[in-house]
Amino acid sequence: KTLTAPYITTVAEGIIVSIMDRSHLYSCNRVDTSLFQVTFQDCAASDCEVINEIFDNTDIMTAPIQLFSRVHTIKIDRNHVFCDYYSFESTGFFCVHIVCVSEFVAKANDEVFKGFTHRDIAVRWTSSYMQLAFRSTTPKAIQKSMMPCL
C-alpha cells in the first residue's frame, strides 16, 4: 500500500505500484547540481527478472529485443521535477525515472524514500474527482471546473 492509496482509484494505485516496483531496475547518476541521468541497468539473464520473464514467455522469443539503451534526463528545480520521458504530461503519473532519482537523493541524505503523495499525480486519478465530476447531483459550476482535467 502506498501513500496515495486512500485518495486515488484502484486502477491508479495498481499503476503506481507497478512504477515503484520497477525502480530497482534503473541506475541514477548525478551530472550537475540539479540534473540527473537515469538508465536501465545492464543485467545478466540469470539475475534479471525482466530478462527471465522474456525467456519464460515462448510467444515473445521471436520478437526483436533492443540492443541499445536510453538515457533519460531528470531536472529538478525548486518546486518541480521534470523528466524527458514526459510520463506526467501524457498519463498524469510520475515515471520510474523520477522514482529512481528520488530514491537516489533520499539515500544520499541517509533517508528512505517512502513514495509520492496523491498531490503528485494528476487530479483525474483521484477518487474524489471521479465521484464529483460525473455525479448528476454535482453543481454544474463544479462539473465545468473539473472538465479541463480530463
Side-chain angles (χ1 to χ4, degrees):
K1 190 172 180 177
T2 65
L3 299 172
T4 59
Y7 307 100
I8 63 174
T9 64
T10 306
V11 171
E13 180 66 12
I15 294 169
I16 289 174
V17 167
S18 173
I19 292 168
M20 299 293 286
D21 286 348
R22 288 195 329 265
S23 68
H24 72 279
L25 299 173
Y26 292 81
S27 63
C28 179
N29 293 314
R30 187 175 193 169
V31 293
D32 198 2
T33 56
S34 62
L35 203 62
F36 297 84
Q37 289 182 337
V38 175
T39 55
F40 187 75
Q41 292 179 2
D42 295 327
C43 53
S46 61
D47 66 352
C48 184
E49 63 192 54
V50 173
I51 301 291
N52 288 335
E53 184 179 321
I54 290 171
F55 288 133
D56 289 343
N57 187 345
T58 55
D59 295 337
I60 209 166
M61 288 303 294
T62 58
I65 297 176
Q66 67 178 7
L67 298 176
F68 61 91
S69 63
R70 290 189 173 99
V71 177
H72 292 284
T73 305
I74 292 80
K75 183 177 184 206
I76 301 174
D77 69 13
R78 290 182 182 219
N79 299 319
H80 299 91
V81 179
F82 301 98
C83 179
D84 63 3
Y85 189 65
Y86 298 108
S87 177
F88 187 83
E89 291 80 358
S90 62
T91 66
F93 292 110
F94 46 84
C95 63
V96 68
H97 314 110
I98 291 175
V99 173
C100 185
V101 169
S102 300
E103 290 173 345
F104 179 83
V105 171
K107 186 176 180 182
N109 291 313
D110 294 324
E111 298 174 5
V112 175
F113 179 64
K114 296 178 184 169
F116 295 102
T117 69
H118 62 287
R119 299 183 194 283
D120 299 316
I121 63 170
V123 70
R124 67 178 176 253
W125 293 104
T126 61
S127 50
S128 59
Y129 170 78
M130 295 301 285
Q131 182 184 18
L132 287 173
F134 300 106
R135 191 170 52 185
S136 62
T137 57
T138 301
K140 296 295 181 199
I142 293 175
Q143 284 182 338
K144 189 175 180 179
S145 70
M146 291 186 167
M147 284 307 123
C149 297
L150 290 175

